[in-house]
Amino acid sequence: MRALIQSALHFLRDEEGATAVEYGLIIALVGAAITVAVSNLGSGLTLVFTNIANKITLAAA
């Protein structure tokens, strides 16, 4: 029984897999930030090109 308790305590203190989890969380946060940035940039570019197209259409008329 004592060996089982010691094994359980050793398992709970083991931090070997924690680094992989931390890297996974960092990658997920960076991915979310890139997604938000690209989404906002895409919306801004759509507005810019729409304005340019409208000005070209008005100038040609």
Side-chain angles (χ1 to χ4, degrees), residues 3-44:
L4 179 64
I5 293 173
Q6 287 178 346
S7 295
L9 289 174
H10 178 69
F11 177 75
L12 292 174
R13 291 186 194 129
D14 186 19
E15 296 181 4
E16 189 172 314
T19 303
V21 172
E22 290 166 355
Y23 282 136
L25 289 173
I26 290 169
I27 290 170
L29 290 174
V30 168
I34 289 172
T35 302
V36 169
V38 168
S39 176
N40 289 338
L41 181 64
S43 299

Side-chain angles (χ1 to χ4, degrees), residues 45-61:
L45 285 176
T46 301
L47 182 61
V48 168
F49 284 116
T50 301
N51 288 337
I52 291 171
N54 289 338
K55 289 179 182 180
I56 291 172
T57 304
L58 291 175

